[in-house]
Amino acid sequence: MEWETVIGLEIHAQLATRSKIFSGAPTAYGAEPNTQACAVDLGLPGVLPVLNGEAVRMAVKFGLAIGGTIAARSIFSRKNYFYPDLPKGYQISQYDLPVVSRGHLNILVDGEEKTIGITRAHLEEDAGKSLHEDFHGLTGIDLNRAGTPLLEIVSEPDLRSAQEAVAYMKKIHALVRYLRICDGNMQEGSFRCDANVSVRRMEQNEFGTRAEIKNLNSFRFVERAINFEVERQIALLEAGGRVVQETRLYDADKGETRSMRSKEEANDYRYFPDPDLLPLEIGPAFVDEVRGQLPELPDAKKERFKAQYGLGEYDAAVLTATRETADYYEAVVGAAGCDPKLCANWIMGDLSAALNRAGVEIDQTPVTAERLAGLLQRIADSTISGKIAKQVFEAMWEKGATADALIEQQGLKQITDGGEIATIIDQIIAANPEQVSQYRAGKERLFGFFVGQAMKATRGKANPQQLNALLKQKL
Amino acid sequence: MHNKTIAELAAGLRDKEFSSRELTTHFLARIGQYNPALNCFITVTEELALQQAEAADARIAAGKAGPLTGVPIVQKDIFCTKGVRTSCGSKMLDNFIAPYDATVVERLGRAGTVMLGKANMDEFAMGSSNETSFYGIVRNPWDTNAVPGGSSGGSAAAIAARLTPGATGTDTGGSIRQPAAFCGITGLKPTYGLVSRYGMIAFASSLDQGGPMARSAEDCALLLQEMAGFDEKDSTSVKRTVPDYRAGLNERLAGLRIGLPEEFFDEALDSEIARTIEAAIAEYEKLGAEVKKISLANMRLSVPVYYVVAPAECSSNLARYDGVRFGYRCQNPKDVHDLFMRSRGEGFGAEVKRRILIGTYVLSAGYYDAYYLQAQKIRRLISEDFKQAFEQVDVILGPTAPSVAFGFGEKTSDPIAMYLSDIYTIGVNLAGLPAMSIPVGFSSNRPVGMQLIGNYFKEAQLLNIAHRYQQVTDWHRRVPANFM
C-alpha cells in the first residue's frame, strides 16, 4: 500500500533582542539561574507587561521576508495553564489575531523547487526551565528564560517528507539569521520546532490523524523523529490500528517517539485577550520603514551571485548559505580583484576546511577577507604557485600574518627567471645520465621524475609552466 | 489636628504650626487608641512613618516642601510597598514583603507624604463589605455594628474615624465609592488609565483603577494630583497632560447640566436615600445647575456582565499564586500538583475561590462565546449608553449605593444580594469613566453617599462639582461621635 506523509512544522525562533519581550531584563544565555529575571519575569504581584518594540520590528521583518501580511491590529492573549516554571500561570501569546499571516517560502529538494505555505507567525514569551538534577528529589526553577521573546512560525501542512521538513527548517533557519532576528543556536534552544505528522493513503483526500512531536532542537532529530513517527503510524494503520491525536516526545538516545499526553488530557488553555496590553497596532509607515531595512534575502543573493560572479548553482548556494559567508566572499572578491571562481574555490575549499577543523565560524576566522584576498592576488600574478599558496595559507592561519610578509620572510617567491630554471635543469640532466637516456629512449613517464627533482632543488618555487616548457626543450 | 483637612494640614506644616513628626505621632497615637476596635489596618508602619516624617520636616526646614510634604496617609494593602508586607487582605500573601514600590506609592512618597500603614480590605479586593479579609472585619465608625463597605473598607473607616486625613483606594466595581458612601467620606474613582496600575495587585485588570479617598473633594484633588499621570510601566496608562485639579475647584456651576438616570431612582432604592439625594439635587439647582432625566437602558445588565468579566480576569490574574515562588505554600506537598492544589485551596478564602471558579468556567472551551464574548458585547452597549448620555448632560448624578451600610453577616450568605449592592457603581467601571462619591446626609444615622459620574478625563469637573456642594454643606465635616 502506498502512503503519503503530511507534515506541518511549528518553529520557535528566539528573537535576538537585548531585553525580554515584556520586561527590561537581559536575555543573554548561560547566566547563573534566576539572575536575569526581574519582578515582571517572576510574575510578582502587581507587575505589568510592557511590549518590547524591537521584538515587534523583528516579527515584521520576518513577515515581510516571507511575503506575508502584517496585521494592522493584532492581539496578545493569555494562554492559561499551571506549570511550576510558568510564573504567571499563563503565557502571553497571540491567538486569533497574529502579527504575521499568510506567507510562503520556496525549498529545493532533489533539484525540485516547492512552495511551502506559512500560515502565521506570532509573538509570545518563553517560559522558564525546571531543573531536576542536583536537587535531591526536588525540582529547581530557573526563570532566566522566562519572558524571552519567541516568534512561533507555523507552516501549512505542505511538507511531504522528513527531507522536505528539514529543507524547510534549514531555509527558515538561514532566513532568520540573514535577518539577524535570531542567532539560530540550536544547542541553546534558540531555534527549535514541533512537528505535526500524519500519514494517509495515496488516494485519500482528507488528512490522517496527526501526532505532534515536541521540542526538536536539531535538523538530525527532526529527520529521525519524523521518519520514526511515519513508520510507526504506517505500521499501526496497516495492522488495522488507529492513530490517536496526541503529543509525543522524541527520545534522541533511543531514536523513538513516545506518548506524552493524549488529546483528552490536553489543557483547556482558556485563551482570552490580555487586558494588560493594548492591541498591537502597526501602521503602513512602520511597515515601510522596516521594509527599507530588509537585507538582500538568501534567494535573491544566490541569483545575483550566479549572474554577477558567474558562479554555478552549487557554488552560489554554498556561498549564500549564511549572510556571513556571502559577506566574506564579496569582501574577498572586492579586495582581490581577481577571478571570482578562484575566490569561491578558496573559501569553499581551504578556508572552509580550516574553519571546520578549528570549529570556528567564518566571522571569527583568523584569515580575514582582506588577507585571503592578498594571498589570491599573489597566485593571480604568479608570485607563488597554487601549491605554495596552500602552504602560505596554513602559515597565515597559524601566525596571523599577511601573505606578502610570509612569502618574503620564507623566501617563497616563485622562480620565474628562465635562466635560473635552465641552470638547475642542466645540473639535473648532468647528475642523472641513466634516467635521461631512458627518457630519451621513450620512457616518457620519467618526465615527472625530472619535474620532481627540479621542484626539490627550488623547494617548490619554480614556476610550473616555465619549468615544464624548459624541461621538454632540454630533454 | 486630626479634624483638619489635607489642605489645612499641608498649610500648617508649611507655616510650621506643627511638624510632620508631631502630626505623625498624633495620628499614630490615634491609631493605637482606636484601631483595635475598628481594625482598619493590616499593618501599621510606625517606624517607617516617623522616619518619613523626619525627612519631610528636613525638607520643610530646607524650604523644599511640596504641597503634600509631611502629610500622613494610608495605603490600601493592595499597593506594593517596598520592604513592607503587602497582603492584599489574603492569607495567600500574609508573608509577602514586596521588593518594590507601586507607582502610586512611589509618586505619593516622592510628593513627601508619610505612610502610616497599610489599610485592611476585602481579600484581593473581592467584596463589598470588608468581610472577606483574612485579617478580619472592619467596623464602621458611624455604627460599629455596620460594615464599612468594601473593598477599600479599611481606608474609608480610617478616614472617617480621623485615623488618617487621606488614603488610597482601588475601585473595580465600586470599591472606592461604596465604602466612601458607607463611611461618609469623599472618594474618587478616576478614568481608567489615569492612575498607573503598576504595583497595584490585579483583581480585574480592565476594570481596576486606583484613586484617592479623603474627607473632601479638595483633598481628593490634592492626592489625585500626585497619583495621576502616564507611567511607562503600565501599558494601559494614558499619555496626556495632567491638569491642575485644584485650579478649577471654585468654578461656578451655573448652566451645568446634571443628568438623573431613571434606572438609578427605581424601586430598588431605599426611599430615605432617595429623599436625601433629592435634597442634594435641590442644592445644585440653587447653585444654578439644570437637572434633566436621562436613561441608561442597559444599566440593569451591568451586574451580570461584571460578574462574567471580572471573575474571568481574576481567574487568570490569580493563577500566579501557586505556592512556587512567593506567598503561602502548603505543608509537605507530595508532588507539584498537590503543591498547587493545597497552596491555593488553603491560601484563598471562599469569595476569591467562588470568583476563580466562575471565571474559569466562563473562559472554558465551549462557554467562552456564550459568556465572555457576550459580556464584552454588552459592555460596549453600556459604554454606548453613557456616551449618548454625555451628549445631553455634563455629569450624571445618583445614589452611590441602594442602601446605607448594612449589618455584619446580613449579606454574606447571599452572594447575589451582596453583588447587587454595587448596582449603581459597576457600570462606571465597565465603561472606564471617572466617578465620585460624596456624603450628602444620613439615613438611620448611617451616612448616605451621592455619586457623580463624569465623562472621560473630566476629574477636574467632578471635583469642581463636588467641591461647590461641599462649600455650601457640611456633611463632609461631620465626625462620628466616638471619634471626635
Side-chain angles (χ1 to χ4, degrees):
Chain A
M1 185 117 31
E2 283 288 318
W3 294 91
E4 185 181 48
T5 303
V6 176
I7 304 160
L9 293 188
E10 293 170 16
I11 293 174
H12 291 88
Q14 181 182 317
L15 295 175
T17 53
R18 278 200 304 272
S19 57
K20 294 188 175 176
I21 184 165
F22 298 118
S23 84
T27 51
Y29 178 82
E32 280 292 301
N34 299 312
T35 55
Q36 301 207 350
C38 68
V40 174
D41 307 319
L42 297 177
L44 287 186
V47 299
L48 295 170
V50 176
L51 181 60
N52 181 338
E54 202 47 40
V56 175
R57 180 181 297 271
M58 288 179 175
V60 171
K61 240 181 201 177
F62 179 80
L64 293 173
I66 59 164
T69 305
I70 310 298
R73 186 169 178 277
S74 65
I75 302 279
F76 285 98
S77 289
R78 294 184 182 178
K79 179 179 181 179
N80 296 283
Y81 63 100
F82 285 98
Y83 206 73
D85 58 28
L86 186 71
K88 299 186 294 294
Y90 58 84
Q91 177 197 28
I92 305 177
S93 181
Q94 294 195 298
Y95 185 52
D96 44 11
L97 290 172
V99 61
V100 172
S101 56
R102 294 190 305 276
H104 59 85
L105 206 64
N106 292 340
I107 58 168
L108 196 65
V109 173
D110 293 335
E112 269 193 59
E113 196 156 69
K114 182 173 173 180
T115 298
I116 307 301
I118 296 172
T119 319
R120 59 186 280 161
H122 67 252
L123 286 163
E124 63 183 26
E125 60 178 342
D126 208 343
K129 246 193 312 199
S130 295
L131 307 166
H132 301 291
E133 292 103 34
D134 311 328
F135 292 96
H136 313 287
L138 300 175
T139 297
I141 305 289
D142 177 6
L143 295 175
N144 281 353
R145 206 179 63 187
T148 298
L150 298 177
L151 188 67
E152 179 172 331
I153 304 156
V154 183
S155 83
E156 289 287 310
D158 287 347
L159 302 158
R160 291 291 173 270
S161 67
Q163 200 190 356
E164 286 187 10
V166 170
Y168 166 78
M169 192 174 172
K170 282 187 170 164
K171 198 75 190 266
I172 297 275
H173 187 252
L175 183 61
V176 294
R177 295 189 64 212
Y178 251 82
L179 297 170
R180 304 244 158 99
I181 62 172
C182 172
D183 68 14
N185 191 320
M186 298 172 82
Q187 279 90 47
E188 293 176 2
S190 300
F191 191 85
R192 54 191 198 259
C193 92
D194 303 336
N196 284 294
V197 180
S198 66
V199 296
R200 62 176 166 187
R201 291 186 163 83
M202 274 303 187
E203 66 279 8
Q204 190 178 316
N205 281 324
E206 61 279 12
F207 292 142
T209 305
R210 69 174 191 269
E212 184 182 15
I213 314 168
K214 280 279 183 200
N215 255 331
L216 299 162
N217 65 347
S218 89
F219 297 123
R220 206 172 62 236
F221 291 169
V222 168
E223 180 157 22
R224 287 184 188 167
I226 291 173
N227 282 334
F228 175 89
E229 183 58 21
V230 167
E231 279 171 36
R232 186 188 73 86
Q233 291 185 13
I234 291 174
L236 199 60
L237 293 169
E238 287 187 339
R242 200 171 60 82
V243 174
V244 290
Q245 191 175 333
E246 63 182 352
T247 303
R248 298 178 71 84
L249 263 187
Y250 178 64
D251 182 333
D253 296 329
K254 293 185 181 152
E256 61 182 35
T257 65
R258 59 165 184 270
S259 183
M260 199 169 128
R261 57 172 180 260
S262 72
K263 190 187 173 189
E264 286 70 32
E265 296 167 278
N267 284 311
D268 175 355
Y269 291 118
R270 292 172 281 119
Y271 279 100
F272 76 106
D274 191 334
D276 288 333
L277 290 160
L278 302 174
L280 171 59
E281 288 180 357
I282 299 176
F286 181 77
V287 174
D288 287 343
E289 184 194 320
V290 175
R291 188 179 280 118
Q293 294 166 347
L294 280 184
E296 185 180 25
L297 298 177
D299 285 349
K301 204 183 271 286
K302 188 181 76 181
E303 291 311 312
R304 179 168 65 79
F305 275 26
K306 283 156 73 176
Q308 186 174 341
Y309 303 119
L311 299 176
E313 172 73 27
Y314 178 78
D315 287 2
V318 171
L319 291 171
T320 56
T322 71
R323 195 164 151 188
E324 290 75 19
T325 306
D327 288 350
Y328 186 93
Y329 174 72
E330 294 205 280
V332 172
V333 172
C338 59
D339 180 13
K341 177 67 184 162
L342 176 72
C343 300
N345 289 346
W346 270 83
I347 291 168
M348 293 162 65
D350 292 74
L351 178 72
S352 149
L355 290 171
N356 280 339
R357 269 199 307 277
V360 167
E361 293 297 320
I362 198 161
D363 51 352
Q364 302 292 321
T365 172
V367 180
T368 61
E370 291 68 30
R371 293 208 168 157
L372 182 62
L375 176 67
L376 302 186
Q377 279 173 330
R378 296 293 85 82
I379 299 172
D381 67 11
S382 297
T383 304
I384 53 171
S385 66
K387 204 171 165 190
I388 291 287
K390 286 177 187 292
Q391 211 179 306
V392 176
F393 177 81
E394 294 302 326
M396 288 167 73
W397 181 278
E398 293 301 325
K399 297 177 183 157
T402 64
D404 286 341
L406 286 163
I407 292 165
E408 179 64 34
Q409 194 187 318
Q410 301 183 9
L412 294 173
K413 194 166 189 291
Q414 194 161 247
I415 301 166
T416 49
D417 177 342
E420 197 181 329
I421 295 172
T423 312
I424 289 161
I425 290 171
D426 289 343
Q427 286 164 3
I428 288 166
I429 289 174
N432 299 283
E434 197 171 321
Q435 281 83 352
V436 172
S437 51
Q438 281 178 14
Y439 177 82
R440 289 187 175 146
K443 203 170 177 185
E444 286 195 8
R445 57 186 176 82
L446 270 173
F447 188 74
F449 165 78
F450 295 107
V451 173
Q453 290 298 310
M455 281 300 184
K456 199 173 163 189
T458 60
R459 289 189 292 127
K461 292 185 292 182
N463 178 299
Q465 288 78 33
Q466 279 179 292
L467 176 66
N468 284 0
L470 279 167
L471 253 180
K472 279 212 171 99
Q473 191 190 316
K474 297 229 174 217
L475 283 168
Chain B
M1 274 193 284
H2 55 268
N3 275 317
K4 289 187 190 298
T5 64
I6 291 176
E8 289 159 0
L9 290 174
L13 284 162
R14 268 195 309 276
D15 299 343
K16 305 202 174 68
E17 283 172 35
F18 41 80
S19 68
S20 176
R21 194 187 160 85
E22 284 164 346
L23 189 59
T24 303
T25 307
H26 178 72
F27 277 112
L28 286 170
R30 281 186 70 81
I31 291 167
Q33 187 182 351
Y34 295 108
N35 189 55
L38 297 176
N39 197 29
C40 302
F41 287 84
I42 290 172
T43 306
V44 178
T45 50
E46 186 167 347
E47 211 177 305
L48 180 70
L50 292 171
Q51 277 171 23
Q52 290 177 340
E54 278 166 22
D57 284 333
R59 277 175 65 185
I60 294 166
K64 289 179 185 162
L68 294 180
T69 304
V71 174
I73 58 155
V74 167
Q75 293 286 356
K76 183 177 181 180
D77 208 19
I78 199 168
F79 288 100
C80 285
T81 43
K82 192 174 180 176
V84 176
R85 174 174 61 183
T86 301
S87 74
C88 220
S90 180
K91 178 182 179 184
M92 187 57 92
L93 290 177
D94 184 46
N95 65 0
F96 178 65
I97 302 201
Y100 73 103
D101 275 334
T103 298
V104 160
V105 172
E106 193 188 298
R107 288 183 177 178
L108 284 168
R110 217 189 298 140
T113 62
V114 169
M115 184 174 84
L116 298 169
K118 306 290 297 284
N120 203 341
M121 56 181 282
D122 278 299
E123 184 180 8
F124 283 101
M126 297 175 201
S128 306
S129 62
N130 219 114
E131 290 171 289
T132 71
S133 171
F134 172 62
Y135 299 90
I137 59 167
V138 174
R139 292 187 183 273
N140 191 322
W142 292 98
D143 180 344
T144 50
N145 292 317
V147 302
S151 66
S152 311
S155 299
I159 293 164
R162 272 57 177 169
L163 307 186
T164 179
T168 55
T170 61
D171 192 316
T172 304
S175 282
I176 286 176
R177 292 160 287 159
Q178 185 253 25
F182 282 16
C183 291
I185 63 153
T186 304
L188 189 159
K189 180 256 165 209
T191 307
Y192 184 80
L194 182 68
V195 172
S196 168
R197 291 187 297 116
Y198 189 78
M200 187 178 110
I201 297 178
F203 157 21
S205 312
S206 74
L207 303 162
D208 296 343
Q209 184 62 205
M213 300 172 82
R215 289 207 303 274
S216 68
E218 184 180 21
D219 286 359
C220 284
L222 280 163
L223 291 173
L224 184 64
Q225 198 69 51
E226 304 304 329
M227 295 169 76
F230 176 70
D231 177 12
E232 60 179 15
K233 291 185 199 144
D234 175 1
S235 307
T236 61
S237 92
V238 177
K239 227 177 206 161
R240 73 194 330 264
T241 315
V242 176
D244 182 344
Y245 292 117
R246 270 174 102 194
L249 284 177
N250 290 306
E251 295 281 314
R252 289 162 48 81
L253 301 185
L256 180 79
R257 297 169 302 165
I258 297 177
L260 307 176
E262 52 182 321
E263 294 78 6
F264 280 30
F265 295 90
D266 62 2
E267 64 283 358
L269 181 63
D270 176 279
S271 59
E272 233 183 298
I273 292 182
R275 275 199 299 280
T276 312
I277 301 290
E278 276 153 22
I281 294 167
E283 289 293 340
Y284 278 114
E285 285 177 319
K286 277 194 260 171
L287 289 167
E290 295 161 18
V291 173
K292 193 174 173 182
K293 283 208 162 57
I294 58 163
S295 171
L296 299 167
N298 292 293
M299 199 50 122
R300 63 190 172 82
L301 296 171
S302 63
V303 172
V305 165
Y306 178 86
Y307 280 97
V308 170
V309 174
E313 293 180 10
C314 112
S315 72
S316 178
N317 283 333
L318 271 60
R320 68 190 61 199
Y321 307 107
D322 56 7
V324 174
R325 297 165 311 285
F326 48 78
Y328 179 78
R329 177 184 283 190
C330 68
Q331 293 289 309
N332 306 314
K334 63 176 198 290
D335 55 30
V336 71
H337 196 245
D338 187 41
L339 170 76
F340 289 159
M341 299 278 279
R342 283 204 290 122
S343 296
R344 292 169 66 78
E346 295 164 15
F348 288 137
E351 183 60 28
V352 170
K353 285 181 197 167
R354 178 182 293 124
R355 298 198 194 187
I356 290 174
L357 287 172
I358 295 170
T360 305
Y361 178 80
V362 300
L363 289 177
S364 296
Y367 298 101
Y368 180 86
D369 290 4
Y371 291 106
Y372 186 79
L373 224 50
Q374 194 70 7
Q376 292 294 6
K377 284 181 195 160
I378 300 170
R379 186 175 178 177
R380 278 192 287 278
L381 294 179
I382 290 168
S383 301
E384 200 53 40
D385 282 355
F386 277 112
K387 195 180 159 201
Q388 282 173 11
F390 283 117
E391 282 166 12
Q392 306 161 51
V393 297
D394 302 307
V395 67
I396 295 167
L397 184 152
T400 304
S403 74
V404 291
F406 45 85
F408 292 102
E410 258 180 46
K411 300 191 179 187
T412 42
S413 58
D414 184 354
I416 302 293
M418 184 74 89
Y419 296 168
L420 286 171
S421 71
D422 292 331
I423 187 160
Y424 302 136
T425 48
I426 275 176
V428 164
N429 299 78
L430 291 169
L433 292 164
M436 289 187 78
S437 178
I438 58 172
V440 291
F442 291 85
S443 165
S444 321
N445 297 316
R446 295 177 187 181
V448 172
M450 180 177 75
Q451 184 175 212
L452 297 165
I453 304 168
N455 210 339
Y456 297 101
F457 298 103
K458 293 285 191 188
E459 284 79 5
Q461 187 185 32
L462 282 180
L463 288 162
N464 163 228
I465 296 166
H467 180 72
R468 290 299 298 219
Y469 176 82
Q470 292 183 337
Q471 295 301 99
V472 297
T473 58
D474 70 347
W475 302 111
H476 66 293
R477 291 200 172 263
R478 302 282 178 98
V479 188
N482 297 326
F483 301 90
M484 291 291 192

